[in-house]
């Protein structure tokens, strides 16, 4: 048996025994080959991702367009951005993490809190934006709802099955919780807080202001308390695990983009999101 034949035989046996290894292709190679950047973005998470009619809006839409352009230069070929909706419900094929492991998308951009243990098959990028937990209140309720106290008999709205719900339950044990569910939960809760139907709504500050802007509210119609966030939150992109080349490509893009720049490009230099982001970043880094 010749040496060439022996090597060929070993290669065939290896490919049969370990097909996933021989057939595996990095995400960057997929983009280079197909010219498509498949990105997951939520439609219920202003200012990250939301829709007005048929139009996608938000900093993830703006940011991923910039990422697409940078990939074109890196790969020296045209790249098309394909925006696909993702949701929090992991039982759905559109679930954020499930969409990554099923290879429906190459990365997910949104308010994804970076945890030490990401779900199997997924990983987080570097932080691309910082936020914190605040209480949104009707301005008239600002003095009555004191975050430094126990908030006894105060009704605080929270999104069901969220980290904020757990935090509020532990921090303000004498308060009453009102649970908001579903994709319209944040929208309804912000309306209820502004109208005084609940005493406060607890959530990430940037999501609170983003939803208020989406609803056309001005800063005189609500207040965020306290002045500095109750907790710190870091947001990262969700990427496939065990694909260091792609993760580093995403991280390099994040290193070259500031959150303030993305917010200004998307909403203008006078957006109330910008000073809020600066305060949270200074507090939380």
């Amino acid at each position: 048996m010749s040496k060439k034949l022996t090597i060929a035989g070993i290669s065939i046996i290896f490919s049969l025994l370990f097909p996933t290894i021989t057939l595996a292709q990095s995400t960057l190679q997929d983009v280079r080959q197909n010219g498509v950047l498949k990105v997951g973005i939520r439609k219920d998470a202003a200012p990250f991702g939301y829709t007005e009619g048929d139009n996608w809006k938000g900093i993830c839409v703006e940011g991923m367009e910039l990422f697409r352009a940078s990939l074109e230069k890196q790969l020296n070929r045209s790249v098309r951005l394909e925006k696909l909706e993702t949701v929090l419900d992991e039982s759905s094929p559109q679930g954020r993490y499930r969409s990554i492991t099923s290879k429906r998308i190459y990365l997910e951009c949104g308010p994804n809190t970076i945890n030490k243990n990401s779900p199997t098959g997924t990983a987080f990028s570097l932080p691309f934006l910082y936020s914190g937990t605040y209480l949104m209140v009707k301005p008239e309720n600002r003095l009555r709802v004191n975050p430094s106290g126990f908030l006894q008999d105060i009704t605080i709205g929270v999104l069901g099955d969220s980290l904020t719900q757990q935090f509020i339950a532990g921090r303000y044990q004498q308060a009453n919780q009102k649970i908001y569910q579903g994709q319209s939960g944040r929208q309804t809760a912000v309306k209820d807080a502004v109208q005084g139907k609940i005493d406060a709504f607890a959530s990430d500050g940037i999501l609170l202001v983003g939803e208020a802007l989406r609803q056309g509210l001005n800063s005189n119609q609500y207040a965020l308390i306290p002045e500095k966030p109750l907790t710190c939150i870091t947001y990262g992109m969700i990427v496939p695990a065990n694909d260091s080349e792609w993760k580093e490509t995403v991280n390099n893009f994040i290193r070259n983009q500031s959150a303030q720049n993305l917010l200004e490009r998307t909403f203008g230099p006078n957006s109330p999101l910008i000073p809020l982001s600066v305060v949270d970043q200074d507090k939380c880094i």
Side-chain angles (χ1 to χ4, degrees):
M1 183 179 293
S2 69
K3 184 177 181 180
K4 289 184 178 179
L5 185 59
T6 302
I7 293 174
I10 292 173
S11 298
I12 293 171
I13 292 172
F14 190 82
S15 65
L16 291 173
L17 292 175
F18 306 103
T20 57
I21 296 177
T22 57
L23 296 177
Q25 181 168 284
S26 74
T27 303
L28 191 61
Q29 289 173 326
D30 283 343
V31 177
R32 180 184 288 111
Q33 178 178 316
N34 301 320
V36 179
L37 173 62
K38 296 187 292 185
V39 174
I41 303 175
R42 286 167 55 189
K43 290 184 177 180
D44 64 339
F48 293 88
Y50 60 102
T51 56
E52 290 182 355
D54 295 329
N55 298 320
W56 288 81
K57 301 284 186 176
I59 58 175
C60 281
V61 178
E62 181 70 26
M64 289 301 95
E65 180 57 37
L66 292 174
F67 185 39
R68 179 205 63 76
S70 73
L71 285 174
E72 282 194 336
K73 293 180 179 179
Q74 179 180 344
L75 301 176
N76 193 29
R77 66 150 299 161
S78 63
V79 175
R80 176 174 60 86
L81 176 62
E82 183 177 351
K83 301 181 289 290
L84 298 169
E85 183 183 3
T86 46
V87 299
L88 294 177
D89 182 7
E90 289 303 314
S91 65
S92 166
Q94 296 178 311
R96 294 175 298 171
Y97 299 102
R98 186 174 176 180
S99 291
I100 290 288
T101 56
S102 69
K103 298 185 178 180
R104 175 175 174 257
I105 57 175
Y106 297 147
L107 76 158
E108 207 274 352
C109 179
N112 305 309
T113 303
I114 296 176
N115 298 315
K116 292 182 178 179
N117 299 314
S118 58
T120 302
T122 67
F124 290 109
S125 70
L126 291 173
F128 71 93
L129 197 144
Y130 296 83
S131 188
T133 303
Y134 291 86
L135 301 178
M136 174 178 274
V137 298
K138 189 176 181 179
E140 294 90 315
N141 288 338
R142 195 171 199 158
L143 295 178
R144 191 168 64 86
V145 180
N146 178 13
S148 299
F150 296 105
L151 298 185
Q152 183 175 359
D153 297 327
I154 294 294
T155 299
I156 304 175
V158 291
L159 297 181
D161 301 319
S162 65
L163 293 175
T164 302
Q165 180 187 7
Q166 299 173 27
F167 168 74
I168 294 298
R171 176 71 175 265
Y172 301 112
Q173 297 180 20
Q174 297 182 35
N176 303 314
Q177 280 196 6
K178 181 172 181 179
I179 311 298
Y180 292 83
Q181 302 283 8
Q183 289 191 330
S184 62
R186 191 184 314 278
Q187 176 182 348
T188 304
V190 166
K191 288 181 179 179
D192 286 354
V194 170
Q195 293 173 7
K197 293 181 179 179
I198 56 175
D199 298 308
F201 173 44
S203 188
D204 304 1
I206 195 165
L207 293 172
L208 290 170
V209 176
E211 178 58 30
L213 290 174
R214 194 193 68 78
Q215 293 186 24
L217 301 174
N218 63 59
S219 58
N220 295 323
Q221 294 176 275
Y222 65 88
L224 295 189
I225 55 175
E227 290 187 5
K228 294 185 177 180
L230 296 167
T231 66
C232 288
I233 300 164
T234 55
Y235 297 128
M237 311 281 185
I238 305 173
V239 296
N242 304 319
D243 192 342
S244 58
E245 181 185 43
W246 181 241
K247 183 177 180 179
E248 187 58 22
T249 300
V250 175
N251 284 342
N252 279 335
F253 171 73
I254 291 171
R255 291 185 186 103
N256 293 321
Q257 291 292 332
S258 71
Q260 284 70 42
N261 177 54
L262 284 176
L263 288 167
E264 184 172 328
R265 287 176 64 101
T266 307
F267 299 102
N270 299 318
S271 171
L273 291 165
I274 296 173
L276 177 65
S277 175
V278 171
V279 168
D280 288 345
Q281 184 164 320
D282 290 344
K283 167 73 176 178
C284 296
I285 289 183

